[in-house]
């Protein structure tokens, strides 16, 4: 690490250069063009994980659909753990944001008459998912990145890694970061900081998430004193490739793909998700919510109906009946992924798939404008929990969430930053302390010690076994014990690479520390929630318990490094909790009653 210590000052600092971060940067500039905005990212913005989103973005635009229907689908899909005021704001602003993105150049797929094309998505009773073939995230991120370039007040710190938030006088006033290229450490002060760093899927061994998604932002906020919310709700996507975890988008099932067990049987009809349909229809069983489909896979595996493979049990996703023309037009990336990573052609062959961790419903606790309880600190995107996703996010709600709450948090942070003065002198002392800590604990430590990869592997296995698709009190207690052991061992890690230039081992070591914090939060929240709801399934407490747990879990970090869990009531506006039913239309009359 370089001996030089520099300080830069900005009005607003955005940590993360993906969809939420870029939308927030644009919103700050629109709200107050005089503010200096810094966007710091550990990867070049176009490599942010938003780029990998395939299926689409939900927003009401077609006749016969309504905002209330989108809201109800979201709330019931989230098993009534969503804050309904946030959901109502979200569904109202989502179409406005998607249309704005079109005006900025996003090439949405079109119908023959020129209107925006939409497709069905899991848990949605109406077709409302906008898409750009099956590379929606790529086109959205490209559009946001290009739009951000027109603002001269936006300064980018590409390939910088944030290690700590600086807090003084009761508010966040800056951050410490390392430039990957040189090893230079730097303090970046700001009147407001927005976290947009994504989720923490890499805590688990099988995930659709890129290697950059390690819970950095969640752990930064947690260590600074902000609570994490609803961390027990971890979404498994039912169709990931078995070795890499690469996502086969829900759009493949939206277009009519079948899920088959080892006998070639469409097994989802056995799990109260509907009946087989001869062609793609809304509410077909393959378009059930992701949590239900992932749980059905486990049940099929227990019945011996899955297929044994080198990387665990799988089932098959069948697209062959869709034909070459449809696959090449609407699912070209799916075919490309299958050819490159499985050496199969979905036009002619079955795709092996298994549930893999995909998304965190939980994250940094924020209000409807992205503000955390810690003044000066904001969050948006998957790193945040606002909460519109509740206990289970519906597919295609996350991309418009980036836009809606990225815009909201940008405006709120701009207003806060314009009202506060230059950060205090104590911030620089904290930054110097952080520099010394990094040297002493990581770069200068010698002798025998633990390997990063060993601890990471044990952590991933422990949390998958103890807090996977199904959990028990016993498995969670065992995982808590294991994680405490790994936290102790992590303090003894020793690096082989002492260099300054692109020291990826140093970054991996810090990311592991963040992952261990995120893992602890997940398991502690899961242990305390003695019910089953959405993606949190306790076999020892199989029923939903609205009397005790119609509430968000908030996990705080104590001064001694331990954690505590508290609860915050869910905000109910117009839709009282009801039975969560998926199947034939006649089974969903409660949806009409709710409206």
């Amino acid at each position: 690490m370089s001996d030089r210590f520099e300080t830069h000052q900005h009005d607003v600092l955005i940590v993360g250069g993906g969809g939420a971060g870029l939308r927030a940067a644009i919103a700050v500039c629109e709200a107050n063009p005089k503010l200096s905005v810094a966007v710091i990212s550990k990867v070049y913005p176009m490599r942010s994980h938003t780029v990998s989103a395939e299926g689409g973005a939900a927003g009401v635009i077609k006749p016969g659909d309504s905002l209330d229907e989108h809201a109800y689908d979201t709330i019931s899909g989230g098993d009534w753990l969503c804050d309904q005021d946030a959901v109502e704001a979200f569904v109202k602003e989502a179409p406005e944001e998607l249309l704005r993105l079109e005006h900025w150049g996003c090439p949405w797929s079109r119908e023959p008459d020129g209107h925006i094309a939409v497709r069905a998505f899991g848990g949605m009773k109406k077709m409302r998912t906008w898409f750009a073939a099956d590379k929606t995230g790529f086109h959205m991120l490209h559009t946001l990145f290009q739009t951000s370039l027109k603002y001269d007040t936006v300064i980018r710190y590409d390939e910088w890694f944030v290690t700590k938030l600086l807090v003084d006088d009761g508010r966040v006033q800056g951050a410490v970061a390392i430039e990957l290229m040189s090893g230079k450490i730097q303090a970046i002060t700001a009147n407001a900081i927005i976290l947009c760093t994504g989720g923490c899927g890499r805590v688990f061994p099988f995930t659709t998430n890129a290697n950059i998604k390690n819970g950095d932002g969640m752990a930064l906020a947690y260590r600074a004193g902000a609570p994490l919310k609803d961390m027990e709700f971890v979404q498994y996507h039912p169709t990931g490739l078995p070795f890499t975890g690469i996502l086969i988008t829900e759009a493949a099932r939206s277009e009519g793909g079948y899920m088959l067990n080892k006998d070639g049987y469409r097994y989802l009809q056995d799990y109260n998700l509907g009946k087989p349909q001869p062609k793609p229809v809304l509410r077909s069983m393959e378009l059930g919510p992701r949590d239900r489909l992932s749980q059905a896979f486990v049940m099929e595996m227990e019945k011996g109906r899955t297929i044994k493979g080198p990387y665990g049990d799988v089932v098959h996703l069948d697209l062959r009946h869709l034909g070459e023309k449809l696959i090449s037009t609407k699912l070209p990336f799916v075919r490309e992924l299958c050819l490159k990573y499985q050496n199969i052609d979905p036009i002619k062959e079955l795709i092996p798939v298994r549930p893999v961790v995909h998304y965190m419903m939980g994250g940094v606790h924020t209000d409807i404008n992205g503000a955390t309880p810690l003044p000066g600190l904001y969050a948006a995107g998957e790193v945040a929990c606002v909460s519109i996703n509740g206990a289970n996010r519906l597919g295609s709600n996350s991309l418009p969430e980036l836009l809606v709450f990225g815009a909201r948090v940008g405006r709120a942070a701009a207003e806060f930053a314009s009202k506060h003065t230059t950060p205090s002198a104590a911030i620089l002392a904290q930054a110097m302390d952080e520099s010394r800590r990094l040297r002493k604990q990581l770069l200068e430590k010698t002798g025998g010690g633990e390997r990063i990869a060993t601890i990471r592997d044990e952590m991933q296995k422990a949390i998958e076994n103890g807090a996977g698709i199904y959990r028990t009190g016993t498995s969670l207690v065992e995982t808590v014990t294991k994680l405490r052991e790994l936290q102790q061992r992590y303090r003894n890690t020793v690096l082989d690479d002492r260099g300054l230039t692109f020291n990826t081992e140093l970054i991996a070591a810090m990311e592991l520390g963040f992952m261990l914090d995120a893992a602890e939060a997940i398991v502690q929240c899961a242990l305390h929630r003695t019910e089953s709801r959405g993606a949190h399934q306790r076999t020892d407490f199989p029923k939903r318990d609205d009397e005790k747990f119609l509430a968000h879990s908030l996990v705080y970090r104590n001064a001694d490094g331990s954690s505590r869990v508290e609860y915050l009531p869910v905000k109910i506006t117009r839709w009282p909790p009801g039975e969560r039913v998926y199947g034939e239309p006649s089974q969903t009359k409660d949806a009409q009653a709710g409206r």
Side-chain angles (χ1 to χ4, degrees):
M1 192 175 299
S2 171
D3 290 329
R4 292 184 298 148
F5 187 85
E6 299 181 4
T7 302
H8 285 247
Q9 182 174 336
H10 298 276
D11 296 302
V12 178
L13 171 62
I14 300 170
V15 184
L22 293 175
R23 184 64 188 95
I26 295 167
V28 172
C29 296
E30 291 174 330
N32 188 340
K34 296 181 180 180
L35 294 179
S36 170
V37 182
V39 177
I40 187 167
S41 175
K42 65 179 177 181
V43 294
Y44 188 73
M46 276 305 298
R47 296 192 180 199
S48 299
H49 199 55
T50 306
V51 80
S52 68
E54 300 170 32
V60 173
I61 191 174
K62 295 294 185 180
D65 197 4
S66 71
L67 300 180
D68 279 5
E69 288 177 289
H70 189 185
Y72 183 83
D73 286 350
T74 298
I75 292 162
S76 61
D79 224 346
W80 273 271
L81 201 72
C82 309
D83 283 332
Q84 295 181 15
D85 58 340
V87 172
E88 290 192 72
F90 164 69
V91 301
K92 176 181 180 296
E93 295 171 23
E96 300 168 4
E97 284 292 327
L98 295 174
L99 187 60
R100 181 175 290 111
L101 213 63
E102 182 191 34
H103 294 166
W104 289 344
C106 188
W108 299 115
S109 292
R110 301 278 179 173
E111 294 176 350
D113 64 2
H115 285 90
I116 295 290
V118 293
R119 58 173 37 137
F121 242 68
M124 304 271 191
K125 289 188 290 296
K126 295 289 177 68
M127 294 176 67
R128 62 173 67 99
T129 298
W130 305 37
F131 60 97
D134 58 354
K135 299 182 180 180
T136 309
F138 170 84
H139 290 296
M140 286 180 60
L141 188 61
H142 218 123
T143 301
L144 290 166
F145 182 57
Q146 290 177 326
T147 303
S148 72
L149 295 178
K150 72 180 184 180
Y151 295 102
D152 294 335
T153 53
V154 176
I155 306 299
R156 294 209 323 271
Y157 295 81
D158 295 340
E159 297 183 329
W160 286 72
F161 186 83
V162 175
T163 69
K164 182 179 181 177
L165 298 180
L166 302 173
V167 183
D168 188 51
D169 195 26
R171 67 182 177 96
V172 173
Q173 301 186 37
V176 175
I178 297 173
E179 183 183 37
L180 275 62
M181 182 177 68
S182 65
K184 177 176 65 177
I185 189 169
Q186 179 167 304
I188 304 176
T189 62
N191 295 331
I193 292 183
I194 306 174
L195 297 174
C196 301
T197 55
C200 61
R202 284 287 160 183
V203 167
F204 291 80
F206 292 101
T207 176
T208 65
N209 290 188
N211 284 327
I212 59 175
K213 295 190 70 175
N214 304 289
D216 303 356
M218 295 175 183
L220 287 169
Y222 184 57
R223 294 176 181 182
L228 304 181
K229 182 164 68 180
D230 293 343
M231 290 293 287
E232 64 269 45
F233 298 103
V234 180
Q235 181 171 87
Y236 281 74
H237 197 292
T239 56
L241 295 179
F243 170 55
T244 61
I246 289 172
L247 174 69
I248 299 300
T249 173
E250 196 161 299
R253 287 173 282 127
S254 169
E255 297 298 337
Y258 299 154
M259 298 290 290
L260 308 176
N261 65 14
K262 73 174 185 179
D263 301 316
Y265 174 66
R266 292 177 70 185
Y267 62 90
L268 291 172
Q269 60 190 291
D270 296 345
Y271 298 96
N272 198 30
L273 289 165
K275 297 178 181 178
Q277 302 292 341
K279 59 183 179 180
V281 295
L282 290 175
R283 289 305 224 174
S284 72
M285 59 194 183
E286 275 87 7
L287 283 183
R290 292 169 177 175
D291 58 338
R292 295 283 178 87
L293 267 64
S294 297
Q295 292 154 22
F297 172 90
V298 175
M299 295 176 191
E300 286 292 291
M301 185 170 63
E302 291 174 348
K303 295 172 183 175
R305 297 176 182 171
T306 52
I307 302 130
K308 300 295 181 183
Y311 306 106
D313 287 56
V314 299
V315 291
H316 282 139
L317 175 61
D318 187 2
L319 307 183
R320 297 172 300 176
H321 56 286
L322 301 182
E324 182 175 357
K325 181 178 179 181
L326 186 148
I327 292 173
S328 298
T329 303
K330 292 189 174 182
L331 302 169
F333 194 46
V334 167
R335 188 183 186 197
E336 180 182 337
L337 291 172
C338 290
L339 287 167
K340 286 186 175 180
Y341 294 98
Q342 290 292 142
N343 197 29
I344 61 171
D345 187 345
I347 293 174
K348 305 173 184 177
E349 300 169 275
L350 297 170
I351 308 170
V353 294
R354 57 161 290 169
V356 291
V357 167
H358 182 57
Y359 188 89
M360 294 297 301
M361 273 71 76
V364 181
H365 171 42
T366 75
D367 65 14
I368 198 170
N369 291 314
T372 75
L374 189 59
L377 183 63
Y378 298 79
E382 191 179 353
V383 71
C385 183
V386 63
S387 153
I388 66 160
N389 297 312
N392 173 65
R393 176 179 69 82
L394 293 190
S396 74
N397 266 353
S398 63
L399 288 179
E401 179 186 4
L402 299 177
L403 301 173
V404 169
F405 293 100
R408 279 178 164 258
V409 77
R411 292 190 290 266
E415 182 179 1
F416 184 93
S418 64
K419 294 179 179 177
H420 288 78
T421 57
T422 303
S424 66
I427 290 298
L428 297 182
Q430 288 186 35
M432 293 297 295
D433 288 342
E434 173 67 359
S435 175
R436 286 188 285 269
R437 181 189 75 85
L438 294 173
R439 291 174 183 275
K440 183 177 179 180
Q441 294 184 7
L442 294 171
L443 279 176
E444 296 176 358
K445 186 184 291 185
T446 59
E450 291 279 355
R451 314 312 302 165
I452 296 168
T454 301
I455 296 175
R456 183 175 57 227
D457 183 58
E458 291 185 31
M459 173 198 68
Q460 291 174 333
K461 289 179 180 177
I463 197 166
E464 177 75 21
N465 293 334
I469 294 174
Y470 286 98
R471 299 102 179 251
T472 67
T474 300
S475 73
L476 291 166
V477 169
E478 290 174 352
T479 307
V480 167
T481 302
K482 182 64 177 180
L483 289 175
R484 286 174 180 164
E485 172 204 320
L486 294 175
Q487 288 275 16
Q488 289 294 328
R489 289 167 55 188
Y490 172 70
R491 296 186 177 94
N492 296 320
T493 53
V494 175
L495 306 184
D496 291 325
D497 187 354
R498 307 300 173 86
L500 302 179
T501 301
F502 284 110
N503 189 336
T504 55
E505 189 182 18
L506 171 63
I507 302 304
M510 290 186 287
E511 288 174 332
L512 177 58
F514 290 154
M515 283 193 282
L516 286 167
D517 283 354
E520 178 191 8
I522 291 169
V523 176
Q524 288 291 349
C525 289
L527 181 62
H528 283 76
R529 185 176 289 273
T530 52
E531 66 159 357
S532 289
R533 184 187 299 267
H536 172 69
Q537 294 292 309
R538 290 279 298 262
T539 56
D540 47 350
F541 294 94
K543 299 295 184 181
R544 196 178 85 188
D545 186 353
D546 287 343
E547 184 176 342
K548 290 178 62 177
F549 290 108
L550 190 63
H552 301 294
S553 56
L554 297 177
V555 58
Y556 293 82
R557 190 172 195 248
N558 297 322
D560 62 358
S562 63
S563 61
R564 70 183 190 278
V565 178
E566 301 177 359
Y567 289 93
L568 178 72
V570 171
K571 294 178 182 175
I572 306 292
T573 59
R574 298 160 53 201
W575 294 276
E579 184 182 1
R580 186 181 174 212
V581 179
Y582 292 90
E584 298 307 294
S586 61
Q587 293 176 286
T588 58
K589 291 180 180 178
D590 61 315
Q592 299 298 328
R595 291 193 294 276

